[in-house]
Each structure stands twice: as C-alpha cells, then as structure tokens.
Amino acid sequence: MALSAITPINRTHHCSFMFPPKQHRQHLRIYTFQCSGTNSNKESQSQPQNNALLKLAWYSSELLGIAASVFRSPSNQEAPPQRLLQTVNRAAVVDTIKQDFQRSYFVTGDLTLNAYEEDCEFADPAGSFNGLHRFKRNCANFGSLLEKSNMQLMKWEDFEDKGIGHWRFNCILSFPWRPILSATGYTEYYFDAQSGKVCRHVEHWNVPKMALFKQILRPSRGFGLKDYVNRWLKAVQMKL
C-alpha cells in the first residue's frame, strides 16, 4: 500500500519590475510514503489458535503415552536404573547431563535423578509443568511410541547461571502412517545457586511450532492412505 502527499506550491514574489537574470520557477515537491509488512492483526489472531493446537497435541501425546504404558505387556516394561550422583555439585551435574544425552534420556527417561530438583520446572514450546518424576514418566512413555530414534548433543555452553546443550533429534513414530519427526534445538539448564542442581529445564526447538505438529500428521514414504489401499487391492487380487 502506498500513500502520497503533495506539499503546497512555494511561490517567490518580487517587488521590482526588473527581471533577474534567471527567473525563479515554482517548485513542486512530492513525497511518497510506502508501507509494507505483514498484517499484525491476522498474526495475533492466528497465534492463540496455533498455541491451542500445539498444547492439544502435547497433552494428547502425554495421555497416549500413559495409555500405551498401561496396555504394554509387563515383560516389555523395563524401567531404567535409578541413577544417582555420589557428590552433587555443578561440575558433576554438567558431566552427568552429557552422559544422559548418550543414553538418549529424552526418549528413555534414563536420567540421573539427583542432578535435578524434585520440583524442577520442565518447559518446551507446548507448555510447562513442575515435577521430576512426571518428566521421567513422560520421557519413558514417549520412547514407547517410537520405532527408531537418535539424539545427539552437538555442543555445550557454560554460563554463569545456566548451561546450554545444543542437540539434534530424529525419530520414527510407531503410528500406522510412520511419521518422521526431525528437528534441532537446544535446552537451557538453570542451576540452583545453593544446591548446584538443575531447577529449570527449558527446551527450544529450531522448528516452527506448527511444523512439528505437521510432521506428526505427515505419513512417511510408503505408509500413506494410497499405499495402504494399493496393498489391500494386491492382497485381494492374490486371493482371487
């Protein structure tokens, strides 16, 4: 959209009848103003809707993980060991966090418990909650929904009150359409000044919020509705 405004014409008046060597011409100045950008009102209206959908997906996945753990056969329920630090200080906590990454704690729940405060806050793009055991349970339940997964700690940064672990994660969800979830991001580990334990665990994903949700809904190659129909038709033809 463009807006334009024209200034009044500037005239110069002379009282003498003698003509100057050069006549003064009238000057016309035109100013053009251009406005560009996105519709902030539309973005602000869609933002709450996106957040609501993401929270719905997050809580649905949590409930689905709990349901899967209930119906899982006892023989397959192998709880991770109760890992504990003998000496708790910041250096030891940082070291064990790096070891927990090697155990893919994000999808196994296999993390060192006393490296975190019991009421530690866990936050991600979908929401936040307090409670170490709830986080451990959610991680283990999420892992039960995966067919394959890989998580790597790419870089670690130390700051005065926190450490930041940059990671890369990808997995195949064990849904009928086998969606592939792939992302990079980083997690902020805020340390309690007295205990040295992690009191806030904040995840950041380098993928837009709704893109993660769309990845879950997108079938991987060979597992779309059309592929299932083709396999069913081939099975029917073989029987005939």
Side-chain angles (χ1 to χ4, degrees):
M1 179 177 64
L3 300 175
S4 61
I6 302 177
T7 60
I9 299 175
N10 298 325
R11 292 185 173 86
T12 304
H13 300 278
H14 300 275
C15 297
S16 176
F17 289 101
M18 296 183 64
F19 294 97
K22 294 183 180 179
Q23 290 184 339
H24 293 279
R25 296 181 180 179
Q26 298 172 350
H27 300 283
L28 180 65
R29 297 179 181 178
I30 301 177
Y31 297 90
T32 303
F33 302 90
Q34 295 182 348
C35 301
S36 61
T38 56
N39 191 331
S40 58
N41 292 333
K42 184 178 293 185
E43 287 184 351
S44 61
Q45 292 174 359
S46 62
Q47 189 68 19
Q49 296 176 356
N50 293 343
N51 291 338
L53 287 174
L54 193 63
K55 287 183 178 181
L56 177 62
W58 190 91
Y59 286 113
S60 298
S61 65
E62 184 179 22
L63 293 175
L64 183 60
I66 295 174
S69 66
V70 171
F71 291 103
R72 196 184 311 149
S73 61
S75 59
N76 294 333
Q77 293 185 2
E78 296 182 1
Q82 299 291 318
R83 300 186 186 277
L84 297 172
L85 285 172
Q86 294 182 354
T87 303
V88 179
N89 53 53
R90 175 163 173 170
V93 170
V94 170
D95 185 60
T96 198
I97 289 174
K98 296 177 181 179
Q99 295 177 21
D100 288 345
F101 264 101
Q102 296 177 2
R103 292 185 283 266
S104 298
Y105 80 95
F106 183 71
V107 296
T108 62
D110 189 358
L111 74 164
T112 308
L113 294 178
N114 63 342
Y116 298 82
E117 298 286 355
E118 284 292 332
D119 61 345
C120 179
E121 178 189 1
F122 295 90
D124 61 18
S128 65
F129 62 86
N130 292 78
L132 174 60
H133 291 282
R134 180 180 176 183
F135 176 74
K136 179 180 173 66
R137 181 201 66 192
N138 288 351
C139 290
N141 290 342
F142 178 64
S144 68
L145 300 175
L146 305 183
E147 189 170 293
K148 294 181 181 179
S149 66
N150 182 32
M151 187 174 192
Q152 295 180 346
L153 178 63
M154 310 304 295
K155 184 176 67 171
W156 179 268
E157 295 180 294
D158 275 309
F159 295 92
E160 182 178 355
D161 62 336
K162 66 179 179 180
I164 299 180
H166 298 262
W167 44 260
R168 175 179 294 148
F169 174 73
N170 58 75
C171 68
I172 300 177
L173 293 169
S174 57
F175 296 161
W177 58 95
R178 298 295 190 277
I180 299 174
L181 185 63
S182 179
T184 60
Y186 61 96
T187 301
E188 295 177 294
Y189 301 84
Y190 289 87
F191 301 102
D192 183 86
Q194 296 181 350
S195 67
K197 297 182 179 182
V198 177
C199 58
R200 291 186 66 210
H201 178 285
V202 186
E203 295 172 17
H204 302 271
W205 296 68
N206 296 333
V207 179
K209 296 178 181 179
M210 291 308 296
L212 292 173
F213 185 62
K214 290 178 181 179
Q215 285 186 17
I216 298 175
L217 298 179
R218 185 183 303 118
S220 61
R221 186 175 181 181
F223 290 93
L225 179 59
K226 183 178 179 180
D227 300 302
Y228 279 106
V229 171
N230 290 337
R231 283 195 287 268
W232 179 79
L233 290 175
K234 288 181 180 180
V236 171
Q237 291 175 359
M238 291 179 64
K239 290 181 180 181
L240 296 178

